[in-house]
Structures are given as structure tokens and as C-alpha cells.
Amino acid sequence: VPRSLRSLARLLLLIPFVLPLVVPLYARTHPRLGPFPFFLWFQFALVAVTVLGIGLVFLLRERGDERPR
Amino acid sequence: VNGAELGVFCALFFVITLIGLYSSRWRRGDLNLLEEWGLAGRRLGSFVTWFLQGGSLYTVYAFVAVPAHVYGAGALGFFSIAYALVIYPVSYVVLPRLWRVARDGAHVTAADYVQARFQSRTVAVLVAVTGIVATMPYIALQVYGIEVCVAQLGLPVEAALAVAFVILAGITYVAGLRSAALIAVAKDVLIWGTVIMAVVYIPIHLGGYGHVLHSVPAAKLELDSHLYASYATLALGSALALWLYPHALTGTFSASGADVIRRNSFLLPIYTAMLAMLALLAYMALVAGVQPSHHYGANSIVPDLFEQTLPPALAGFALAAIAIGGLVPAQVMSIAAANLFSRNIYRALLRPGASDAEVTSASKLSSLVVKVGAVVFILVVPATYVVNFQLAGGVWILQTLPAVFLALYARRLDRRAIVLGWAVGTGWGTYVLAQTGFDEATRSFAVFGHESVYVGLPAVALNLAVVLGGSALLRIGARLRARY
């Protein structure tokens, strides 16, 4: 994996760190998803985004610090 | 007491006991060594670590208190979801580094690392004492969560808790962290089964999600704009505190590799989805007309909802799942606190020449004492005091951030500045909490435009300022003295 792509991917770590803290961004009712207000489904969706985002950073990580004892 | 409900509940507890008894033979190691008893030999792979960490970070108290918070305070209660997301980028970046240092230095506790890093017994003892003090009320709250479930079944509370904890203490004494790891796997099968069943079955019973969410008063669904700062600072402050808790670090240090921790940083958020589903149960309880109980307030709404809406056998299953959910965190927390005591207080201060076997016995014994203490604590002290104590514990544990996390990155930290920063952060945080009788985690401050913010955050900011400023001043002072 090229180094530039790897460091770009690491920026994905910022999504689950920053977005949950920018509360005014999602403290609203609309748009709804079915019966769920935005406030709820946005945070539920962030769970999936966190899994995928950090997962991608992991797949593109620099290997080699797993040296055995 | 319903026969089917009680039968299923007791049968599941019996199965868990058998698994715990078997666990001392699992991946056999010399249980007279603390690395084996207290860290399962640092051999836990991604799979078991996922269950162990998920089982000990998402505690029974969360299962009971998060829905209770949403039931009472509405949308603010969802800050736990934001918090349970922010912790993962933090763990991905910080914990592999700490794991490697701990493995290379054969550290079992955070205070071990701090001792090696600063060559200061004072700093190490401060970190150890803070860890123990913050963990004690947390264990008591696990007992409390179990108590709520047991009371819902109509069992005699004192006797049931005593039986559960005698068994649990015995298993932990013999098998250590291995038993927590295996019980965590079994427990999760139960808890996932329960949560998925609950979020599918109960809404159907109540007329669908659309009906549930439209019946909830708007005030419970929307977050008022004056609470934005509380929401964000509670999430951030709790997230920074989490990985400093001894039980979170025990789970980290027992991993077999740094990649195990990285992999779990994106697999553990799956538990956050579970937490979100549990929080939704609060709305279902509101719509089902579940009332807070006389003894436990809103903390009993989820067990009560299960009993009111599920068939008896399934309700017994669900209550057992939640109650067993308290055993794993109680085990890991008591092991973590016991390790801090045996290594960083007993050996470091009381018996400097103690052999490894003696330190391990001290750990095993203190894990017993801690659990018995937690049960007595919760039966004697009013639960609100324990909740407030745990809240203060969060502010206190956050004050070990410079000594444990910052020290991984910043090289030129002075141990005297670390001690001073700890004292300032802890002192100020405690003072502010004491002004409201340790009742409120958030306070409004003029400097933040009178918005209420989580007390732990300005406290740790002060702490960091003292640590960084103090280290720089002491370095300049030393340089000047060397020159003249």
C-alpha cells in the first residue's frame, strides 16, 4: 500500500472521533428514516461508519510491529 | 415468582458456573504466576478478546442505567452512544503502543508502566490508588445491576446476591482472567439473543416502531440546544477516561498482539449498536406504561418491561442474560484492582522482597476482598451514594491521563509536574463535584458561556496545563542551574 494512501486512510479515524462530538450537526428530527428521527438514526449509522472506517485503516496499516517475543 | 421464569434463570446460572469451573483447565498455565492468573498469559486472540472486552466494557450497569437515563432525561441519555464511538479511534491509536510497552516490560498494570517510565514510586502509587478507588464503586454498581434483576424475579435479594458472589469469587480465585474470558463468550450468546429478541418482539407487541416513536413525548426524543455542550463533553470526557480504567487495561494487556487490539477497535463498536438498541427499550417502556419501581427507580424499567411483555420462560432468559452480564465486568474489575494492589502497593510499599508467588496470592486474596466489599457496600450504602461515587471515580481516573497516555508520546515530562498536575486536577474536580453533593456530572462555568459541561474535562485540561507548563519550567530551571 502506498504511503500516501495509508496516511490518507488514517484520516478516517477522525470521523468517529469528531462527528459524534459535533452535536448541533445531528440534534434534529428531520429527515426521518421511517419512524426514526435523524438524531437517532444518524448515530446508529455512525456505528456502521465507525466499523467500516477503522476497519479500512486496519486493512491498510503498516505491518511489522507484530514481532514475536 | 413464576416457575418457568425462575427455572430458566437458575439453569443458565448453573451453566455459567460449570463454564467458570472448567476455565482453569483452558489453555493451561501456571496459575501461581500473575501474568497467567491476572492476564491469562497474554495469549488471548482477537476472538476471545472481542468477547472479553465487549463483556467488561459494556457492563450490566450500562444495560440498566442507559435505558433508565433515556427514560428519565430523554435524548441526553443517548450521549452514551456518542461516547461508545469516540472510544474506538482512541483505542486504535493509543492502546497498541501501550500494549507493546507493557509486553516488553512485563507490566501487568498501568502503574507498573508508570513506575518504569518515571522511576517514581509516588507517581506509580498515585496511579494505583486512583485506579482502585475508581474501580470499587464500579464493581458495586455491577452488583446493583444484578440486584435489580434478582429483585424483579421476586427472589430474596440478599441471599441471591450472596450465593451468586460466593460462586463468582471462588471461580475467579481459582482461574483468574481465564474464567472471565470464557464466561464472557457464553454471556454474550445470552445477551445478544436477548437484545435481538427484545427489539424485534417487543415493538410488535406494542404496535410497531412507528407507533412507539410517535407515542413518545417529543420532549423525550429531541435534544434541547442548551444541552449540546453537556452531550459532547460527557461523551468526550467519558471516552478519554474509559481506557484508563484498570479493567479496560487488563483486557488490553491480556491480548496476544497489537493487531488484536487494532482489530477489536473496529469490531467492538458492534456492541455500541447493542447499547443503542437497549437505549431504545426505554422508549418502549414509556409506551408500554412501565413505571419506575419504589426501590430502584427507573433502573428497573428494562427488567420490568421484559417481564410485562415477554412470555415467562423468555423473560427468565432475558433477566439471566442481564444479570450474568454483571458477572464478567465484576470479575475483570476485581482482578484489575487486585493486581494494582498486589504489585503496586503490596510489593512496592508493604513487602518489597515479596516473591512472584506471594504477589499472586495477594492478588487472588484481594480479588475476594474486593468482591465481598462490593456486595456489602451495595447492601449497606444507599445506591445513590454509590452512583455518585462512581461518577466522581470517572473524574478521578481521568486525572491519570498524563501519567499513562501522555507519557507514551511526550518524552520530557517531569515526574514532579505529573504529581502536581494530578493533585490540581483531582482537587479541583472533587471540589466542583462536592459543591453539588457529588450529584451532578455537569456544571455550568462562566468561561464556557454558562453552558453546562462535564466536570472531568476542565479538570483534566487544568491537569495537562500544569503537567506541560511545570515540566517546561522545571527543565528551564535545571538548565539555568547547570549554567550558573
Side-chain angles (χ1 to χ4, degrees), chain A residues 29-38 41, chain B residues 209-210 213-214:
Chain A
T29 309
H30 299 283
R32 284 178 188 272
L33 183 71
F36 291 94
F38 189 72
W41 75 256
Chain B
Y209 274 101
L213 288 168
H214 282 112

Side-chain angles (χ1 to χ4, degrees), chain B residues 105-117 124 127 339-340 343-344:
Chain B
H107 305 318
V108 175
T109 66
D112 286 347
Y113 159 66
V114 166
Q115 170 68 45
R117 169 70 173 75
V127 169
N339 290 348
L340 281 170
R343 282 180 72 102
N344 308 110

Side-chain angles (χ1 to χ4, degrees), chain A residues 6 9-14 16-17 50-51 53-63 65, chain B residues 85-98 100 243 252 258-269 409:
Chain A
R6 182 177 300 138
R10 278 181 77 89
L11 290 178
L12 288 172
L13 291 174
L14 286 175
F17 189 78
T50 303
V51 172
I54 302 182
L56 194 61
V57 176
F58 176 78
L59 288 178
L60 297 175
R61 78 197 179 284
E62 198 160 9
R63 283 153 215 260
D65 66 345
Chain B
L85 291 170
V86 175
I87 54 179
Y88 293 112
V90 175
S91 73
Y92 188 92
V93 173
V94 179
L95 294 186
R97 205 181 254 252
L98 187 58
R100 208 158 45 240
W243 300 111
T252 301
D259 270 355
V260 170
I261 294 156
R262 294 196 186 95
R263 204 170 281 121
N264 270 295
S265 298
F266 72 88
L267 293 176
L268 279 171
Y409 296 91

Side-chain angles (χ1 to χ4, degrees), chain B residues 19-20 22-31 33-44 48 52 171-172 174-184 331 335:
Chain B
I19 292 172
Y22 160 78
S23 64
S24 63
R25 296 151 175 269
W26 178 63
R27 297 191 188 172
R28 220 174 246 277
D30 180 359
L31 289 168
L33 294 175
L34 199 57
E35 273 199 313
E36 288 294 341
W37 182 82
L39 290 182
R42 283 185 225 268
R43 286 203 300 274
L44 301 182
V48 176
L52 180 66
I171 291 171
T172 315
V174 175
L177 197 66
R178 279 176 171 73
S179 59
L182 280 196
I183 293 178
Q331 276 184 295
I335 290 170

Side-chain angles (χ1 to χ4, degrees), chain A:
Chain A
V1 183
R3 180 182 286 260
S4 55
L5 184 63
R6 182 177 300 138
S7 31
L8 207 63
R10 278 181 77 89
L11 290 178
L12 288 172
L13 291 174
L14 286 175
I15 296 175
F17 189 78
V18 174
L19 283 193
L21 301 176
V22 191
V23 185
L25 185 75
Y26 59 88
R28 60 187 78 234
T29 309
H30 299 283
R32 284 178 188 272
L33 183 71
F36 291 94
F38 189 72
F39 179 70
L40 294 182
W41 75 256
F42 177 81
Q43 292 186 80
F44 296 175
L46 262 185
V47 176
V49 171
T50 303
V51 172
L52 295 174
I54 302 182
L56 194 61
V57 176
F58 176 78
L59 288 178
L60 297 175
R61 78 197 179 284
E62 198 160 9
R63 283 153 215 260
D65 66 345
E66 285 291 275
R67 61 205 150 88
R69 223 196 283 228

